Structures are given as C-alpha cells and as structure tokens.
C-alpha cells in the first residue's frame, strides 16, 4: 500500500485529496503547516509527499529543503497556476515534480502513481547497483568501486571532480540540479561560501567534451535552461 503525505493549510483541499487517494487504497497522512510536515516526514518514509508552497511556519520550499537533508522521498510541489518561478524554485530545492493550482484530482493521482512507478524502478536499480558497483544508462557505464567510466568498450579517463559530478547525475536520472546545488554536493558544503558557480559550468563543459559524441548536442548530460543540469540518455 502506497503511503502519501499531503501538506496544505486549506483543510477542505486536504480532505478532498485524502478521500480520493484512499479510494485508490493509499494510506494518507495530513499536515497543515510546514513544521508538522517536517516532523511527520522524519517519523515515516513516504512514497510521495504532496506539498503546497504557501504554508504557515515554514513554506513549501523550506519544507522541501529540510526533507532533502535526511531523505530522498519523492516530493510533488503544488504551485500557483502560471507562476514559473514557483516551479523553478521547487525544482531547485529538490522537488521531483509540480502541479499547478487549481488542479484536477485525476491528474494528481496520475502524477503520484507515475512517481511511485519510477521510484520503485529506481530502488530496484539501486539494489542491483549496490551488488555490482556498476551504474549507467545506454552506452555509458560507471564502475563506482574502481572509478572507471566507459562509453561502449572505450574507457574515458576523468579527473576526480568530473567523476563525482557525473556519478551524482547518473545516480539521479532526470533530476535537475542547480549549479549551486552541484557546487555544494560535489565540492562540499563550504563551497558556496567562497566558490564560483561557474566552476560547475567549466566542469560540465569538460565532461561533455570527453563523454559526448557531440558536446553541443549532448546525449547524456543535458541543460535545463534557467535551472541547471540533469542526466538523461537520448533515444
């Protein structure tokens, strides 16, 4: 049974969502402010967190950021209709998807089920990766134990930071990371104090020159304009 956390300060909306999800045999917990949401997320591992942006005590971005400090549970942000900045900020803070208000409950359920399917596949892949130490997609393979990278049968020599950058993206396919987030994850928490986000751009450019058949039309490491970078293999 899927376990969902619904976070919104509008109780009628929460009641409607809860009723609809329970009709699909989902277990639903509810929170009406940011502090309550963070506490529940620390107590249980949810299959999906449905998280409104506008909340008392802590807003949705702060809740998303707090959850990301201790869990990778999928988060869908509920954003104001047509507000692109809400969507961009949500993705930068670690959200996996977003839905604009007012929404159709059928769309909400479809998005939740799609994320649960992807998450289940990702968990199976991670179990397999843990056993073999090999990750990747398409022709690209990474042996995380020996720190070797292959495109087909050809080995690609990568410096440490380029390897770390690629490994983070490969382990989280389709997840968009801002340059600030990559600087923090790959170069360390203190990097943002003195680091330059252009460092990320330079490393991505060098990485593409080594692994991409055509760096100007990347197959693996893609740019989400105005947001950041992500890993996806073109068909």
């Amino acid at each position: 049974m899927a376990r969902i956390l619904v976070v919104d300060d509008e109780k009628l909306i929460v009641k409607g969502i809860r009723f609809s999800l329970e009709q699909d045999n989902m277990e639903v917990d509810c929170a009406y402010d940011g502090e309550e949401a963070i506490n529940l997320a620390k107590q249980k591992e949810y299959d999906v967190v449905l998280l409104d942006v506008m909340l008392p005590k802590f807003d949705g971005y702060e809740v998303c950021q707090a959850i990301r400090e201790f869990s990778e549970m999928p988060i869908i942000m509920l954003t104001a209709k047509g507000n692109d900045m809400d969507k961009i900020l949500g993705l930068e803070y670690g959200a996996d998807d977003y839905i604009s208000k007012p929404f159709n409950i059928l769309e909400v359920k479809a998005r939740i089920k799609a994320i649960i399917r992807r998450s289940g596949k990702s968990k199976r892949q991670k179990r397999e990766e843990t056993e073999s130490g090999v990750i990747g997609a398409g022709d690209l393979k990474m042996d995380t134990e020996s720190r070797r990278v292959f495109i087909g049968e050809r080995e690609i020599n990568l410096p440490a930071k380029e390897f770390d950058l690629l490994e983070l993206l490969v382990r989280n396919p389709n997840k968009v990371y801002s340059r600030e987030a990559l600087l923090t994850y790959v170069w360390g928490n203190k990097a943002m104090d003195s680091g330059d986000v252009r460092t990320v751009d330079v490393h991505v450019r060098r990485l593409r020159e080594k692994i991409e058949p055509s760096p100007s039309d990347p197959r693996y490491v893609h740019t989400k304009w105005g947001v950041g970078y992500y890993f996806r293999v073109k068909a």
Side-chain angles (χ1 to χ4, degrees), residues 5-224:
L5 175 61
V6 179
V7 188
D8 198 312
D9 62 334
E10 297 186 52
K11 294 189 176 182
L12 285 177
I13 290 179
V14 173
K15 184 178 179 180
I17 295 173
R18 180 175 192 168
F19 176 80
S20 187
L21 296 182
E22 288 179 341
Q23 294 302 301
D24 283 13
N25 295 316
M26 298 184 191
E27 178 185 333
V28 182
D29 287 342
C30 305
Y32 302 99
D33 62 59
E35 184 178 23
E36 186 181 9
I38 294 169
N39 289 334
L40 284 172
K42 286 180 177 178
Q43 294 168 20
K44 295 182 182 179
E45 182 72 19
Y46 292 95
D47 294 292
V48 175
V49 178
L50 194 61
L51 177 63
D52 188 33
V53 171
M54 302 301 293
L55 293 169
K57 298 189 179 180
F58 299 109
D59 65 29
Y61 307 125
E62 293 173 306
V63 174
C64 186
Q65 189 175 35
I67 290 175
R68 282 291 167 262
E69 291 178 359
F70 60 84
S71 174
E72 288 298 316
M73 65 180 75
I75 297 173
I76 301 176
M77 300 289 291
L78 299 177
T79 69
K81 187 174 180 61
N83 193 334
D84 290 337
M85 186 52 65
D86 278 353
K87 300 169 186 176
I88 291 169
L89 284 173
L91 293 171
E92 286 196 338
Y93 278 103
D96 298 272
D97 201 355
Y98 59 82
I99 298 174
S100 296
K101 281 185 169 183
F103 51 77
N104 184 317
I105 190 61
L106 295 178
E107 179 188 5
V108 173
K109 291 200 287 188
R111 296 283 190 96
I112 288 174
K113 290 175 182 177
I115 280 191
I116 289 173
R117 285 195 299 270
R118 291 200 301 268
S119 178
K121 182 178 179 182
S122 175
K123 287 176 182 176
R124 289 194 299 272
Q125 288 175 337
K126 285 181 179 179
R127 284 197 299 269
E128 293 169 359
E129 290 163 4
T130 301
E131 294 171 1
S132 67
V134 177
I135 60 175
D139 292 337
L140 188 149
K141 295 289 183 290
M142 303 183 72
D143 187 327
T144 58
E145 293 183 1
S146 63
R147 294 180 67 83
R148 301 171 70 189
V149 179
F150 298 87
I151 304 291
E153 299 298 320
R154 180 169 60 96
E155 183 169 0
I156 309 296
N157 293 315
L158 296 181
K161 290 303 180 188
E162 289 176 25
F163 185 96
D164 294 342
L165 175 62
L166 181 60
E167 181 181 358
L168 175 66
L169 296 176
V170 171
R171 286 189 180 278
N172 300 278
N174 299 315
K175 181 172 181 177
V176 181
Y177 287 90
S178 67
R179 293 185 299 170
E180 291 82 2
L182 289 171
L183 193 63
T184 299
Y185 286 133
V186 177
W187 279 266
N189 289 330
K190 295 181 180 179
M192 280 302 297
D193 296 335
S194 57
D196 188 334
V197 292
R198 287 174 296 182
T199 298
V200 176
D201 296 331
V202 170
H203 279 73
V204 168
R205 187 181 73 246
R206 291 174 179 169
L207 181 60
R208 282 174 171 164
E209 288 171 353
K210 294 169 184 174
I211 70 171
E212 302 286 2
S214 174
S216 61
D217 182 24
R219 185 180 183 199
Y220 302 106
V221 179
H222 298 263
T223 302
K224 183 78 169 179

